[in-house]
Amino acid sequence: MDMDKAGESAESRFSALLVAAAKLPGVRIDRAAYLRTALRRHCTEEDIRRATEETPASAGIPLDVLDRVANESIRYETAKVSAISAATGLPGLLAMPATVPADLAQYVGHMLRVAQKLAYLYSWPDLFSGEEDLDDATKSVLTLFFGVMFGTQSANVAVGKVAEAMAKQVAKTLPKKALTKGVVYPVVKKIAQHLGVSMTKQTFAKSVSKAVPVVGAVVSGGFTFATFLPMSRRLKTHLSGLEIAEPAECGQVIVGEVVQGEEVSAATGVKIPRQGRDWRIGRRRKEVEGKRPSEPGPVL
């Protein structure tokens, strides 16, 4: 009975922290605005339009391009959260009661920011409906993303199931039933309990690191960098490997060659101009063997 109460307490602590962090200024990412800005240096205007109106996968944007953009976003969020963490460590012991809760909230806020960015790059739908409060489906999927970041295997499996459900339904929204009532929901509750305990331990570790002024800033910033970066990369690796992240069939690829400024229609074999962009071999594109360059190969 005591174990059940402890689990419920940990779950409620994590839920309250997640909700509070989501309300912080600048935490919620505008999906369309982010994709336009992030893809501007890598894609054509037409591809960006399709990526924002549909998904990057539907636009046929190669995974190697998305990976580069994802790495840029991870580096940016890691640097930002580490700098803020270091700043909260400057006052030392006397300011700990105020700085530690604030540091944890902004840490979770940046976890939310990087989770949204990675989700949008790898073709997940908008996670926020514009409402002030988090709905249950969004809260559940964010909990699963955090579980992946913390290395929880059950979260990896659950995120895969949610992605499969969206792929089958060709849905542009989260599968709310699966996330709030279906087989995934009990997993969400267990992960929330685990995260509540893990973050309590992390808060204690941060409290110790901030005890000495100035030195605490260095230790706190370093601690944040050492945890945030691998967690973000873990989520990126998992989301990029899901089926919904795979680029749509959109052109001809011959191994070792570049198809300059055109794609080949899968239905007609007709060459279609690609507004001057070169299609290079992506790390997950299907290889074509035994084909002459003049022959239409299989689609991407």
Side-chain angles (χ1 to χ4, degrees), residues 172-252:
K172 292 187 177 181
T173 58
L174 295 173
K176 294 186 177 181
K177 185 175 180 181
L179 286 165
T180 58
K181 297 178 181 178
V183 294
V184 173
Y185 186 61
V187 180
V188 173
K189 290 179 68 66
K190 289 290 185 184
I191 291 170
Q193 292 176 9
H194 171 71
L195 292 173
V197 173
S198 296
M199 288 188 170
T200 298
K201 293 178 180 178
Q202 196 172 90
T203 302
F204 176 77
K206 278 182 170 287
S207 299
V208 173
S209 73
K210 293 176 186 293
V212 181
V214 183
V215 174
V218 177
V219 176
S220 180
F223 181 86
T224 297
F225 183 90
T227 55
F228 191 89
L229 183 62
M231 288 200 306
S232 300
R233 286 176 173 170
R234 200 174 288 134
L235 180 61
K236 173 207 157 191
T237 299
H238 188 62
L239 294 182
S240 67
L242 297 173
E243 181 183 351
I244 61 171
E246 291 289 342
E249 300 175 345
C250 58
Q252 177 188 27

Side-chain angles (χ1 to χ4, degrees), residues 14-24 28 112 133-134 139:
F14 171 74
S15 180
L17 180 59
L18 186 66
V19 170
K23 292 180 179 179
L24 292 174
R28 300 193 182 197
L112 285 173
D133 296 327
L134 290 179
K139 193 184 300 183

Side-chain angles (χ1 to χ4, degrees), residues 16-54:
L17 180 59
L18 186 66
V19 170
K23 292 180 179 179
L24 292 174
V27 166
R28 300 193 182 197
I29 302 296
D30 183 303
R31 177 184 173 276
Y34 167 68
L35 288 176
R36 280 195 295 270
T37 301
L39 298 174
R40 186 176 298 151
R41 293 188 298 108
H42 306 277
C43 304
T44 66
E45 287 298 323
E46 175 60 19
D47 286 338
I48 293 172
R49 183 192 65 78
R50 288 191 61 190
T52 55
E53 292 180 1
E54 301 173 35

Side-chain angles (χ1 to χ4, degrees), residues 29-101:
I29 302 296
D30 183 303
R31 177 184 173 276
Y34 167 68
L35 288 176
R36 280 195 295 270
T37 301
L39 298 174
R40 186 176 298 151
R41 293 188 298 108
H42 306 277
C43 304
T44 66
E45 287 298 323
E46 175 60 19
D47 286 338
I48 293 172
R49 183 192 65 78
R50 288 191 61 190
T52 55
E53 292 180 1
E54 301 173 35
T55 65
S58 297
I61 298 175
L63 279 166
D64 55 353
V65 171
L66 297 178
D67 286 347
R68 286 200 299 273
V69 176
N71 287 333
E72 291 169 1
S73 292
I74 289 172
R75 286 194 296 269
Y76 174 81
E77 295 298 333
T78 301
K80 191 174 178 182
V81 72
S82 300
I84 295 173
S85 182
T88 61
L90 283 171
L93 188 62
L94 294 177
M96 275 175 52
T99 59
V100 172

